[in-house]
Amino acid sequence: MTRGSIRIDRERCKGCGLCFRACPFSVIGPDSSMNRSGTCPAAVLRPESCTGCASCYQVCPDCAITVYREDGSHS
């Protein structure tokens, strides 16, 4: 299975939840703490399950997610 990882910019994320629903492996969920804008951003909850599929990246309206794949490339 392909391995990947994601980074979420907490301050850019508005917590819309689109990435939660787009992730086929439930890697992302809501953070329990607020960012400076007063919203609970997305958080990486299960990093070991990330395949780098970039579904979360594709649906993020805030461009708050960066995806890294095992080969070192990123989206």
Side-chain angles (χ1 to χ4, degrees), residues 6-23:
I6 61 170
R7 187 184 60 78
I8 300 170
D9 182 335
R10 288 181 44 83
E11 297 308 321
R12 184 171 267 194
C13 177
K14 66 179 174 224
C16 69
L18 291 173
C19 58
F20 308 169
R21 292 185 289 282
C23 180

Side-chain angles (χ1 to χ4, degrees), residues 20-45:
F20 308 169
R21 292 185 289 282
C23 180
F25 302 104
S26 302
V27 172
I28 308 169
D31 196 336
S32 58
S33 62
M34 289 189 216
N35 61 17
R36 288 185 284 194
S37 299
T39 61
C40 291
V44 180
L45 303 180

